[in-house]
């Protein structure tokens, strides 16, 4: 029976699974976006979201706690210097999983997992271009209508 067992074991032993999730989390922190299978992406989301929440407060205790999971000084530095200030106001949901199709070799369902605040396509923080469209005609410029005038129609009928 599976009572009370909430996480996906991913067909691996516990140490292999912990090492794999740790490496994937370090890669996600370093590159801000990685491609993997949907099952691994969902498992990674459960692994890394509490760490991102803990990183919002920069304290020695939180750094050491997160280091227990990630085991990478570079990832810890990146997490606390660039990622934590960007997600400081967000109450949760730091990760986005986008399904990208199926893998060629074994038809595994693939996904792209990314940090929400570091995607320039979806984020609304970038200033939008404002275009001004004037209703005035430029001086000396005349416009033709799409319909031919009655005079032109009569000339073509006469010929």
């Amino acid at each position: 029976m599976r009572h009370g067992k909430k996480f996906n074991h991913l067909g691996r032993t516990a140490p292999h699974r912990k090492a794999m999730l740790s490496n994937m989390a370090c890669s996600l922190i370093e590159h801000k976006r990685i491609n993997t299978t949907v099952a691994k992406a969902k498992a990674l989301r459960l692994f890394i979201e509490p760490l991102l929440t803990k990183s919002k407060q920069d304290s020695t205790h939180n750094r050491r706690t997160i280091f227990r999971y990630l085991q990478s000084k570079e990832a810890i530095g990146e997490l606390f210097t660039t990622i934590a200030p960007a997600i400081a106001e967000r109450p949760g949901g730091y990760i986005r999983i986008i399904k990208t199709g199926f893998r060629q070799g074994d038809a595994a369902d693939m996904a792209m997992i990314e940090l929400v605040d570091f995607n320039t396509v979806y984020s609304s923080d970038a200033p939008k271009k404002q275009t001004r469209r004037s209703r005035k005609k430029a001086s000396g410029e005349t416009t033709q209508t799409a319909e031919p005038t009655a005079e032109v129609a009569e000339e073509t009928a006469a010929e």
Side-chain angles (χ1 to χ4, degrees):
M1 287 186 283
R2 289 197 71 248
H3 297 298
K5 298 180 180 176
K6 293 185 179 182
F7 61 92
N8 189 348
H9 294 277
L10 300 172
R12 289 160 171 82
T13 61
H16 185 191
R17 186 173 54 252
K18 288 176 186 175
M20 182 191 65
L21 291 174
S22 174
N23 290 334
M24 288 175 67
C26 290
S27 296
L28 181 63
I29 289 169
E30 181 182 346
H31 300 292
K32 312 296 187 276
R33 176 184 301 155
I34 58 174
N35 292 314
T36 183
T37 62
V38 172
K40 287 180 188 175
K42 289 179 179 180
L44 180 60
R45 181 175 52 190
L46 291 177
F47 180 82
I48 200 169
E49 290 234 351
L51 301 180
L52 293 173
T53 302
K54 205 171 270 291
S55 73
K56 288 178 170 183
Q57 283 188 326
D58 191 3
S59 67
T60 306
H61 176 68
N62 285 346
R63 283 181 179 262
R64 287 178 178 167
T65 304
I66 294 173
F67 185 76
R68 278 182 35 218
Y69 291 96
L70 297 182
Q71 295 291 316
S72 171
K73 289 183 183 179
E74 293 80 18
I76 299 294
E78 179 79 11
L79 178 62
F80 279 95
T81 57
T82 61
I83 295 174
I87 64 171
E89 299 300 318
R90 185 176 290 275
Y94 315 109
I95 303 295
R96 177 185 294 128
I97 297 174
I98 300 171
K99 294 183 180 179
T100 57
F102 299 98
R103 189 161 49 199
Q104 182 76 29
D106 59 353
D109 200 9
M110 298 299 287
M112 178 179 64
I113 183 167
E114 65 184 0
L115 294 169
V116 172
D117 292 317
F118 289 91
N119 186 338
T120 58
V121 176
Y122 291 122
S123 67
S124 61
D125 297 339
K128 293 181 180 178
K129 288 186 179 178
Q130 292 184 353
T131 58
R132 295 183 58 112
R133 293 187 180 176
S134 175
R135 296 178 73 89
K136 297 179 185 178
K137 296 179 185 176
S139 61
E141 184 178 311
T142 60
T143 59
Q144 281 191 338
T145 59
E147 300 175 4
T149 59
E151 300 155 358
V152 174
E154 289 176 11
E155 290 175 11
T156 56
E159 293 176 359

